[in-house]
Amino acid sequence: MKRLALILVTALLSAALAFAQAGGSLKRTQRTGGVTVRVTPTNLSEPMAATIDFQVVMDTHAGDLGFDLTQVATLVGEMGSVSPSAWSGGKGGHHLEGILSFPARELRRPGPLTLTLRDVGSDKDLNFVWEIPAAATGSAVRVAVEGGFYTDISPVQLREMLKSKDFFLVNTHIPYEGELDRTDSFIPFDLTASRISEFPAEKAAKIVLYCRSGRMSDIAARILVKSGFSNVSNLDGGMIAWEKAGFSLEFAGSKSGRTPG
């Protein structure tokens, strides 16, 4: 029995070592200009989190850490880049430690995620890279806006919803770059307010919006919520995320024969 336990412990330790050597650890460490920077993401696998958070630890004996991390950090993902929304570690001294937070909504897509720190100890940029797991993008997220909230849904969720469709599906993207099957209407995001009568009359009606990347439909969703609609959803990541999930788009004339507009 002791021999079996020893074998199991040895196997677990070997597996852990192999995992770490293969890059399994989330901690990243870099050194530049006498400054050591250690960065560890704390919630990459939490799909409901409103922010993507990193524990950042910085040490130096060569000078003062007098910079503001919110001014020198950028987070880049598949859909673009964002600046920090908060840093809890202050500035100054030889040691800094805190949580650096970024808005999650624009970046929580499967794929590489790069945290860049500029002018930290030298003029060389420090780039820390991770991979966003697909499991971190699959849940609906409520987005608080003026007048209430709308719900971000994933391509997988929308795909399931389309199997028993009970909602009004709107393409808000301009110019036309394709559509999802069973789209009900094409209302450009910047005409949402002026064409509000083309949406369901019932304010509680279920409405799903989409565009190419999620940015235009986000604007349209905010207008609808402000106008009193209470059951609005937005395809998070838009048609780009839809295709990355392995689902196909339709194009005018390829199936329905109609011209969007």
Side-chain angles (χ1 to χ4, degrees), residues 185-255:
S185 187
F186 298 84
I187 303 175
F189 78 101
D190 55 350
L191 297 179
T192 301
S194 63
R195 293 173 60 175
I196 201 79
S197 62
E198 297 180 33
F199 289 89
E202 175 57 53
K203 295 292 187 179
K206 188 182 296 185
I207 299 171
V208 177
L209 309 174
Y210 71 91
C211 64
R212 184 64 184 162
S213 69
R215 296 180 187 275
M216 293 181 184
S217 52
D218 164 70
I219 295 172
R222 291 170 184 270
I223 294 172
L224 289 181
V225 172
K226 187 177 180 180
S227 299
F229 289 89
S230 60
N231 198 353
V232 179
S233 295
N234 175 49
L235 176 59
D236 194 16
M239 290 183 280
I240 293 175
W242 180 264
E243 289 188 296
K244 284 188 175 182
F247 308 136
S248 61
L249 296 175
E250 301 290 337
F251 290 87
S254 65
K255 184 174 181 180

Side-chain angles (χ1 to χ4, degrees), residues 50-159:
T51 58
I52 298 178
D53 301 329
F54 300 87
Q55 181 186 46
V56 180
V57 180
M58 308 180 73
D59 289 288
T60 184
H61 296 292
D64 183 66
L65 300 172
F67 42 79
D68 183 350
L69 272 189
T70 63
Q71 301 300 312
V72 301
T74 304
L75 191 61
V76 180
E78 288 288 284
M79 301 300 295
S81 62
V82 294
S83 298
S85 56
W87 162 243
S88 67
K91 63 179 180 179
H94 298 290
H95 175 82
L96 291 180
E97 182 172 351
I99 298 296
L100 186 64
S101 300
F102 295 83
R105 185 178 174 277
E106 297 297 331
L107 295 177
R108 200 176 286 283
R109 313 279 192 272
L113 192 68
T114 303
L115 171 60
T116 298
L117 300 179
R118 305 176 303 277
D119 302 321
V120 176
S122 72
D123 57 2
K124 174 187 175 184
D125 289 351
L126 299 182
N127 294 303
F128 304 86
V129 182
W130 298 267
E131 191 79 12
I132 289 279
T137 66
S139 298
V141 177
R142 283 189 173 185
V143 180
V145 298
E146 183 178 355
F149 67 89
Y150 70 82
T151 303
D152 267 342
I153 58 175
S154 71
V156 172
Q157 287 174 308
L158 180 53
R159 179 76 167 186

Side-chain angles (χ1 to χ4, degrees), residues 13-75:
L13 289 174
S14 298
L17 179 60
F19 181 71
Q21 290 175 338
S25 173
L26 292 176
K27 181 184 288 186
R28 304 286 186 267
T29 301
Q30 293 195 41
R31 297 174 178 83
T32 181
V35 179
T36 300
V37 184
R38 293 181 291 277
V39 182
T40 307
T42 63
N43 63 347
L44 281 188
S45 61
E46 298 177 16
M48 296 299 287
T51 58
I52 298 178
D53 301 329
F54 300 87
Q55 181 186 46
V56 180
V57 180
M58 308 180 73
D59 289 288
T60 184
H61 296 292
D64 183 66
L65 300 172
F67 42 79
D68 183 350
L69 272 189
T70 63
Q71 301 300 312
V72 301
T74 304
L75 191 61

Side-chain angles (χ1 to χ4, degrees), residues 3-13:
R3 178 179 174 81
L4 178 59
L6 179 60
I7 292 173
L8 288 174
V9 170
T10 302
L12 288 172
L13 289 174

